[in-house]
Amino acid sequence: MTTVASRFQGVIPPVCTPRTADGAIDVPSLENLTRHLLDGGVSGLFVNGSSGEVTHLTNTERDTVLTTIAGVNAGQVPLLVGAVEQTTNRVVEEARRMVSLGADGIVATSQYYAISNAEETGRHIRTVAASVDVPLFVYDVPVRTHFKMPTDLLVELGREGVIAGVKDSSGDDVSFRQLLIAAKDIPNFDIFTGHEVVVDGALLGGAQGVVPGLGNVDPKAYRRLYDLAVAGDWAGAAAEQDRIADVFNIVYTPKAGRVSGNAAGLGAFKTALMLMGVIKTNVMSAPMLALDEDETAAIKVILERTGLI
């Protein structure tokens, strides 16, 4: 794997957002989850991302989530914070607010809902970067934005120093590898995979780290995997990845069609954390449904099999 002189490397989980039984932000559970992640050896924390249900959070809730996590973290690891809004001016406003509340770096997507092209997306990213005095990372997640960030644009922005790196959740392994190759000589340009089960391959290809939703559940495993990769023990890394792939089976336990795909994955993470005693409930942001008793029981079997409870 490629190592660079940057503070943004390693394992940076996108922190889940616990809710109380009545749907409010569960601050004590969020504090406990943050401690769970820090104790697990994470390299950083991604706040207000997709796994944090960011698009379902009000501005007040987003602020509460960031200030709560920042309070527990107390500068131990860098905080990457999502500024996820539809269009440029809204992202700029959000990014500035997140920086004022403690963000060490901003993560922004391309515009969504608004219909744009590569040229407009480049202007969008440059404008956001110019509006804040912390590093900006591009979040490539076309399943949500309906726009795949072009590799040549990302490399161009990296060479210009506009962006500090990319969090790739595109699901396009070919373009991801092409980005790793094209950006290999850009100093302090950090590329992260958002895929839970192909991290060993991403690190072997030169990625600087991983932003895994499943890292909420088992941060120690991802830390072990990363350390094995840094040490060049690829057989050990693959074995750890195989175990993680088994844990990832929790996302397939929800009944088909009962909950949305979004609620299935994030609901599995929350349910696992609830069973592990890290958070109190598996309540989702409205209108998403929580996993039921049968689905919870199926997740418990997997957690027991993989040694998490």
Side-chain angles (χ1 to χ4, degrees):
M1 61 179 294
T2 303
T3 56
V4 293
S6 170
R7 59 194 302 221
F8 302 106
Q9 298 185 58
V11 181
I12 306 180
V15 187
C16 289
T17 302
R19 290 192 179 273
T20 63
D22 60 3
I25 301 296
D26 185 346
V27 170
S29 284
L30 182 56
E31 291 173 336
N32 200 41
L33 174 56
T34 304
R35 287 189 288 268
H36 166 70
L37 293 170
L38 293 171
D39 291 345
V42 300
S43 316
L45 297 168
F46 178 23
V47 184
N48 289 342
S50 299
S51 292
E53 301 169 39
V54 62
T55 54
H56 296 268
L57 305 181
T58 66
N59 283 356
T60 298
E61 288 176 332
R62 292 180 184 186
D63 294 356
T64 297
V65 167
L66 176 52
T67 56
T68 299
I69 293 172
V72 175
N73 181 54
Q76 295 179 64
V77 298
L79 302 180
L80 289 175
V81 184
V84 181
E85 283 290 349
Q86 294 97 325
T87 51
T88 304
N89 289 339
R90 295 178 67 86
V91 176
V92 166
E93 183 178 84
E94 182 81 351
R96 287 173 171 165
R97 196 174 84 253
M98 294 298 103
V99 171
S100 74
L101 295 175
D104 297 305
I106 291 295
V107 183
T109 70
S110 62
Q111 294 188 120
Y112 60 90
Y113 191 84
I115 300 172
S116 58
N117 59 12
E119 181 178 351
E120 289 179 1
T121 299
R123 292 180 62 196
H124 167 72
I125 296 299
R126 289 183 173 91
T127 301
V128 175
S131 73
V132 293
D133 58 1
V134 299
L136 175 67
F137 288 78
V138 166
Y139 185 7
D140 189 14
V141 57
V143 69
R144 296 182 183 276
T145 64
H146 306 290
F147 181 84
K148 175 72 181 76
M149 291 293 297
T151 298
D152 58 351
L153 176 59
L154 293 173
V155 172
E156 178 182 300
L157 293 170
R159 292 196 189 285
E160 292 176 5
V162 174
I163 60 174
V166 178
K167 188 239 175 174
D168 185 286
S169 293
S170 67
D172 186 337
D173 291 336
V174 174
S175 71
F176 182 72
R177 189 57 177 260
Q178 290 172 334
L179 175 62
L180 290 171
I181 294 169
K184 191 173 293 185
D185 64 340
I186 304 177
N188 298 325
F189 188 76
D190 302 323
I191 301 173
F192 295 86
T193 180
H195 286 285
E196 283 88 350
V197 297
V198 294
V199 179
D200 55 342
L203 295 175
L204 180 60
Q208 280 72 48
V210 57
V211 184
L214 188 64
N216 284 274
V217 177
D218 199 355
K220 291 181 179 179
Y222 282 101
R223 183 71 220 197
R224 288 192 298 268
L225 171 54
Y226 179 76
D227 289 343
L228 287 163
V230 169
D233 183 355
W234 296 108
E240 190 64 52
Q241 181 69 90
D242 287 347
R243 181 192 161 278
I244 290 171
D246 192 13
V247 178
F248 191 69
N249 283 316
I250 63 175
V251 307
Y252 305 120
T253 59
K255 304 177 188 71
R258 196 189 72 81
V259 298
S260 67
N262 198 40
L266 300 184
F269 299 158
K270 283 189 171 183
T271 301
L273 289 166
M274 179 184 69
L275 289 168
M276 293 165 64
V278 177
I279 65 177
K280 291 181 180 176
T281 80
N282 64 349
V283 172
M284 303 295 292
S285 298
M288 291 185 287
L289 296 173
L291 301 196
D292 63 22
E293 290 183 4
D294 290 342
E295 293 158 342
T296 298
I299 288 174
K300 184 178 180 181
V301 170
I302 296 169
L303 297 181
E304 289 174 338
R305 182 175 71 229
T306 54
L308 287 169
I309 57 174

